[in-house]
Amino acid sequence: MPILYNDATREFHLQTDKTSYIFNILKNEQLGQLYYGKKLRHRDSFERLFHIEEMPNTACVYEGDLEFSLDILKQEYPAYGTTDFREPAYQILQQSGSRITNFVYQHHTIHQGKNKLAGLPATYVEHDEEATTLEISLYDEAIDVEIQLSYSVFEQLNAITRSARFINHGREDIDLTRAMSASIDLPDSDFEMVQLSGAWVRERHIHNRKLVPGLQSISSTRGTSSAQQNPFLALKRPSTTEHHGDVYGVSLVYSGNFLAQVEVDHYDVTRLMVGINPFDFNWLLESGESFQTPEAVMVYSADGLNEMSQTYHKLYRSRLARGTWRDRERPVLINNWEATYFDFDETKILGLAKSSKELGVELFVLDDGWFGKRDADTTSLGDWFEDKRKLPNGISQLAKNIVDLGMKFGLWFEPEMVSKVSELYKAHPDWIIHVPNRKSSHGRNQLVLDFSRQEVVDYIHGLVAGILRDAPISYVKWDMNRYMTEIGSLELPSNRQREVVHRYILGVYSLYERLTSEFPDVLFESCAGGGSRFDPGMLYYAPQGWTSDDTDAVERLKIQYGTSMVYPISSIGAHVSAVPNHQVGRITSLKTRAEVAYFGAFGYELDVTKMDDEEKAIVTAQIAFYKENRSLIQQGQFYRLASPFADDGNVTSWMVVSEDQSEAIFGYYQVLAKPNPGYARAFFKGLHPEFEYAIDGIDDTFYGDELMGAGVQLNRYRHEKHPSDFSSIIYKLTRI
């Protein structure tokens, strides 16, 4: 049983295949934290492992008892103001003005399976035996409010999910000013904090920093999870590497403003929490209403960062992503954006499609510029009807023509935005997020539609669904190109204005849910100016995302390496684009560009009609290689081997291994050539030590233990005697 309860000592023991999570009910009926880490055998009592005693200069709960202070106790879902001086997991403002609460244990239930979260994305089960759920009711009698804490244990996947639900049973309204999804107290602070940070075209770079006393955090206040920070944080021991040592990961299944925070107290206890960012947040909870927090996913690994990542990959690939395309091989696509930008017509698009089909491309995607009077990024967002100047026969006929070529057809939308120069804005200027009597800022010449309003969501749904019904569309690229400013909604009263951002995200989720339910065979790809909303919440609706607008092969090494810290390779949109690269101006070989992009959902963004015969032959071979191996790439175990974030950072390598260890693909990338470099070796991971492997292009064979222990001397087994800058190697391994 993955969830055990010791009745005498009132202890909960949550067990996965490799981890234990233990907490208890304290003498004041609140919840205390005991242990999180490597799996422990179950005992009738864990009291002998934990002890508290009187500490100076603090406040205590009970008169005459100088030992019981929440200031020195590890807690499970802590509050502020009753002897704990650290930041709390939640806070409730009452009509009296008080923020003091006393939520005590009422009861708990344990059941097989996992419940859905109303209106929110979350992990799920297909069979009840895949997870076991613990639900704990906490109650504050004075305000008649209940908190339901939910824990689901994916025993075989080694993950634990958490969320909280607040229910106002009382007669008075309350204001929820802070509602985090999870809080974990760890007994010491000897950790480094790992975060995924960056900006547009350099998203999800890995950054490490040593914990210090006080608060350290990452967050977003941009209305999305953002390119600047990602809703993930890990704590690793200083000696932990990719493949050795302890690491605790927490990932938030949410796409809006978030906070992931670590507080180190005066006794070096570490409090890690994650949830909706309390900055500029307030939720009015009227009598009888409830509020559900997003889901946090906790993963502990005793074997380094890579094992933590593999846990997230498997869980998110198989029990967060959903639908027809979850387990299907993704088509090789070509997107016309970098080939044409806004300058195209039907003839040009059909010419690109025909040339792409001859090379083996399976899906043609028409990007921005097909609607309204969209000749630049200054007009027409919201006017989701085809521009007959460019497409005289409409989207439906263009799609049919491309399908007749033997390809699938995909289409770009940006449904959450509106241009000031548009029919939609002319008719409904009040439909944007804005504050009356204040100037509205723009981003990319566009404004944000108020998706906290149901009528706005309904209107956009009608336009998008109408196009999807009328045309044979197999793929939708859903873009979102700006952050929120002047946040306000004309629909909501003054005391609910700080609910706008969360209500907006709920509106986005509801539109995704309606469209993916109505069009289950359409492959949705999320996009946000590239990677500004690449998060687990989006993965629930769209099994792949556009990882970054930066398609430079060298920069993609860092972006894809960092993204793989949490997200499965099948979710990472990775394309070969033209050179000089449109984002950084770098020139890399067609070979290297593809050999980086192989490790993702593969495609192209360039004008294939301008290629010479040699380039077309190379692309044809690349597509054939990817088709032959995409099941392995998208479903295999991913191993990070050499990091572009290392001190030197000149070499990146990674590999993917099939579940039965019979096949593998290894990638090795060198940014700059070095004079007289010596004898570099590549060391492999994840192979079966007793299997004998052949490597394409190499006459010798190798046993798995040799490849993992002794490695391969690269200068002996590479085609170029003197590799140039931006070089790459791909090895395909097959068991003999």
Side-chain angles (χ1 to χ4, degrees):
M1 187 73 175
I3 299 178
L4 301 162
Y5 178 64
N6 290 335
D7 190 64
T9 54
R10 303 200 296 175
E11 296 165 337
F12 299 93
H13 186 182
L14 282 57
Q15 293 181 320
T16 74
D17 200 35
K18 294 183 178 180
T19 64
S20 283
Y21 188 88
I22 307 172
F23 61 98
N24 65 344
I25 303 168
L26 299 168
K27 64 186 289 186
N28 69 340
E29 301 301 314
Q30 294 178 12
L31 300 181
Q33 230 289 323
L34 296 178
Y35 174 83
Y36 183 31
K38 190 177 293 188
K39 188 172 184 177
L40 304 180
R41 72 184 67 209
H42 186 69
R43 304 191 65 149
D44 292 338
S45 170
F46 292 99
E47 287 182 326
R48 61 177 62 80
L49 301 179
F50 308 99
H51 173 68
I52 61 169
E53 59 187 34
E54 178 184 343
M55 302 297 281
N57 193 29
T58 191
C60 300
V61 174
Y62 297 107
E63 186 173 352
D65 183 345
L66 299 180
E67 291 184 349
F68 192 83
S69 169
L70 299 177
D71 190 26
I72 61 174
L73 281 167
K74 292 189 295 160
Q75 293 168 74
E76 186 62 16
Y77 199 65
Y80 172 79
T82 57
T83 75
D84 188 349
F85 301 95
R86 294 163 289 185
E87 292 213 351
Y90 64 95
Q91 199 160 31
I92 295 173
L93 175 63
Q94 298 137 56
Q95 288 191 0
S96 66
S98 173
R99 287 87 60 218
I100 305 303
T101 56
N102 183 37
F103 282 90
V104 298
Y105 170 83
Q106 289 290 102
H107 56 79
H108 73 270
T109 61
I110 299 172
H111 64 85
Q112 290 288 103
K114 185 177 187 294
N115 300 330
K116 291 183 177 181
L117 299 188
L120 285 166
T123 56
Y124 61 90
V125 297
E126 291 187 340
H127 307 284
D128 283 349
E129 59 269 20
E130 292 175 358
T132 305
T133 296
L134 166 67
E135 293 177 338
I136 298 176
S137 173
L138 306 176
Y139 181 67
D140 186 324
E141 184 178 15
I143 59 175
D144 197 13
V145 174
E146 180 185 6
I147 302 175
Q148 294 177 350
L149 300 181
S150 179
Y151 303 76
S152 290
V153 178
F154 288 86
E155 186 176 10
Q156 299 304 314
L157 292 173
N158 289 305
I160 299 172
T161 69
R162 292 177 60 177
S163 67
R165 184 166 174 249
F166 293 78
I167 308 170
N168 184 5
H169 298 292
R171 296 180 180 178
E172 293 187 350
D173 298 345
I174 59 172
D175 285 288
L176 196 57
T177 62
R178 186 181 181 98
M180 304 302 279
S181 296
S183 180
I184 310 166
D185 283 355
L186 299 171
D188 66 79
S189 63
D190 187 24
F191 292 104
E192 292 177 352
M193 182 169 138
V194 182
Q195 63 195 67
L196 303 178
S197 304
W200 177 71
V201 301
R202 50 178 174 84
E203 299 91 343
R204 289 173 301 286
H205 285 202
I206 298 173
H207 294 268
N208 296 337
R209 50 173 153 155
K210 184 171 176 54
L211 294 188
V212 296
L215 291 171
Q216 41 253 287
S217 66
I218 57 171
S219 65
S220 175
T221 58
R222 298 169 181 267
T224 77
S225 51
S226 84
Q228 285 68 24
Q229 307 292 352
N230 197 260
F232 160 81
L233 187 150
L235 297 179
K236 74 177 188 70
R237 296 299 185 185
S239 60
T240 295
T241 66
E242 284 285 7
H243 306 289
H244 302 282
D246 293 340
V247 58
Y248 299 83
V250 61
S251 171
L252 187 67
V253 185
Y254 189 60
S255 307
N257 291 345
F258 76 93
L259 172 68
Q261 175 179 290
V262 179
E263 182 173 6
V264 177
D265 75 4
H266 53 303
Y267 290 116
D268 286 331
V269 171
T270 294
R271 174 167 290 175
L272 166 63
M273 60 176 59
V274 67
I276 294 173
N277 197 336
F279 175 81
D280 205 36
F281 169 83
N282 185 88
W283 196 271
L284 175 62
L285 209 55
E286 295 181 345
S287 177
E289 291 185 337
S290 65
F291 180 84
Q292 174 66 55
T293 72
E295 181 172 84
V297 180
M298 307 189 310
V299 172
Y300 164 78
S301 167
D303 294 308
L305 290 158
N306 203 98
E307 184 185 67
M308 175 200 71
S309 298
Q310 289 177 346
T311 298
Y312 278 120
H313 292 180
K314 191 167 186 179
L315 178 68
Y316 283 179
R317 188 179 67 238
S318 65
R319 292 297 179 266
L320 180 61
R322 302 176 300 164
T324 305
W325 284 97
R326 185 191 70 182
D327 300 322
R328 287 175 62 182
E329 294 180 355
R330 309 291 163 71
V332 177
L333 67 82
I334 190 163
N335 185 301
N336 75 296
W337 179 242
E338 290 194 13
T340 68
Y341 292 100
F342 296 106
D343 183 19
F344 62 83
D345 57 21
E346 186 173 295
T347 300
K348 183 181 285 189
I349 293 301
L350 286 173
L352 283 169
K354 289 175 183 176
S355 295
S356 302
K357 170 62 178 175
E358 291 169 0
L359 301 176
V361 173
E362 299 164 304
L363 167 66
F364 185 91
V365 179
L366 180 61
D367 208 281
D368 195 354
W370 58 268
F371 52 92
K373 297 179 181 179
R374 182 80 163 174
D375 297 322
D377 65 3
T378 56
T379 73
S380 302
L381 289 174
D383 296 343
W384 299 112
F385 43 85
E386 55 264 82
D387 183 351
K388 291 297 181 72
R389 299 172 306 154
K390 297 180 182 180
L391 305 175
N393 298 304
I395 284 291
S396 180
Q397 188 58 51
L398 175 65
K400 289 173 183 174
N401 290 341
I402 289 177
V403 169
D404 287 343
L405 294 175
M407 304 179 74
K408 295 181 183 297
F409 178 76
L411 195 60
W412 179 96
F413 291 90
E414 192 170 358
E416 301 164 57
M417 302 294 156
V418 65
S419 302
K420 211 164 189 179
V421 181
S422 67
E423 296 301 317
L424 176 58
Y425 184 81
K426 190 186 300 183
H428 298 286
D430 59 315
W431 276 11
I432 64 168
I433 284 182
H434 72 292
V435 176
N437 303 315
R438 298 289 182 187
K439 182 178 181 295
S440 294
S441 307
H442 75 88
R444 202 186 181 226
N445 303 296
Q446 60 196 51
L447 303 166
V448 185
L449 286 171
D450 185 0
F451 267 40
S452 72
R453 299 174 64 166
Q454 187 63 47
E455 62 184 320
V456 177
V457 175
D458 289 344
Y459 177 81
I460 296 299
H461 169 264
L463 290 180
V464 176
I467 291 169
L468 296 181
R469 290 188 198 109
D470 289 345
I473 294 171
S474 301
Y475 165 101
V476 166
K477 181 178 180 181
W478 181 318
D479 211 343
M480 187 283 298
N481 274 291
R482 68 152 294 187
Y483 297 132
M484 291 185 190
T485 55
E486 294 83 41
I487 297 172
S489 173
L490 295 185
E491 182 77 6
L492 295 173
S494 60
N495 59 349
R496 287 192 180 272
Q497 287 298 312
R498 291 206 286 175
E499 300 175 9
V500 172
V501 174
H502 183 60
R503 287 184 180 274
Y504 174 93
I505 293 297
L506 294 179
V508 172
Y509 290 156
S510 72
L511 180 56
Y512 257 117
E513 186 69 39
R514 290 166 72 178
L515 290 173
T516 55
S517 298
E518 187 175 351
F519 305 100
D521 294 325
V522 173
L523 170 59
F524 282 79
E525 178 176 272
S526 64
C527 177
S532 295
R533 202 166 62 186
F534 197 106
D535 58 59
M538 287 292 104
L539 190 57
Y540 184 74
Y541 305 99
Q544 64 189 52
W546 184 225
T547 319
S548 174
D549 280 346
D550 193 334
T551 52
D552 171 55
V554 174
E555 174 55 30
R556 270 300 185 115
L557 293 172
K558 288 185 175 180
I559 293 171
Q560 290 175 210
Y561 193 99
T563 302
S564 76
M565 189 63 64
V566 187
Y567 303 99
I569 304 308
S570 59
S571 72
I572 298 175
H575 296 175
V576 177
S577 62
V579 292
N581 179 264
H582 291 198
Q583 289 78 42
V584 300
R586 193 175 356 245
I587 297 176
T588 56
S589 71
L590 194 52
K591 174 180 183 293
T592 295
R593 280 175 273 158
E595 291 181 354
V596 173
Y598 282 156
F599 291 87
F602 184 68
Y604 291 83
E605 298 218 16
L606 40 73
D607 190 344
V608 295
T609 65
K610 295 180 179 178
M611 287 182 168
D612 59 31
D613 289 342
E614 181 182 358
E615 290 172 322
K616 289 180 179 179
I618 292 172
V619 168
T620 300
Q622 290 171 349
I623 293 173
F625 175 86
Y626 189 77
K627 288 179 178 178
E628 181 183 343
N629 294 289
R630 61 182 156 191
S631 178
L632 165 60
I633 291 168
Q634 293 172 10
Q635 303 293 330
Q637 288 264 66
F638 187 71
Y639 292 85
R640 294 183 297 269
L641 304 177
S643 173
F645 300 102
D647 290 340
D648 178 83
N650 198 47
V651 168
T652 301
S653 69
W654 51 45
M655 66 185 295
V656 62
V657 183
S658 65
E659 189 172 348
D660 64 4
Q661 299 174 294
S662 65
E663 292 183 297
I665 299 176
F666 167 85
Y668 180 95
Y669 313 91
Q670 181 173 276
V671 177
L672 298 179
K674 290 186 174 182
N676 194 16
Y679 302 117
R681 304 188 77 84
F683 294 89
F684 297 71
K685 290 285 183 182
L687 303 175
H688 195 293
E690 309 225 349
F691 288 179
E692 186 178 6
Y693 294 92
I695 301 178
D696 286 358
I698 296 176
D699 292 334
D700 295 329
T701 63
F702 306 85
Y703 284 97
D705 57 359
E706 294 173 332
L707 292 169
M708 293 187 291
V712 168
Q713 191 170 309
L714 290 174
N715 63 311
R716 181 176 182 181
Y717 296 111
R718 69 185 306 160
H719 298 300
E720 316 100 324
K721 187 173 183 182
H722 301 292
S724 61
D725 293 346
F726 321 133
S727 63
S728 61
I729 301 171
I730 289 288
Y731 289 148
K732 170 66 185 296
L733 288 72
T734 308
R735 180 190 178 188
I736 296 176

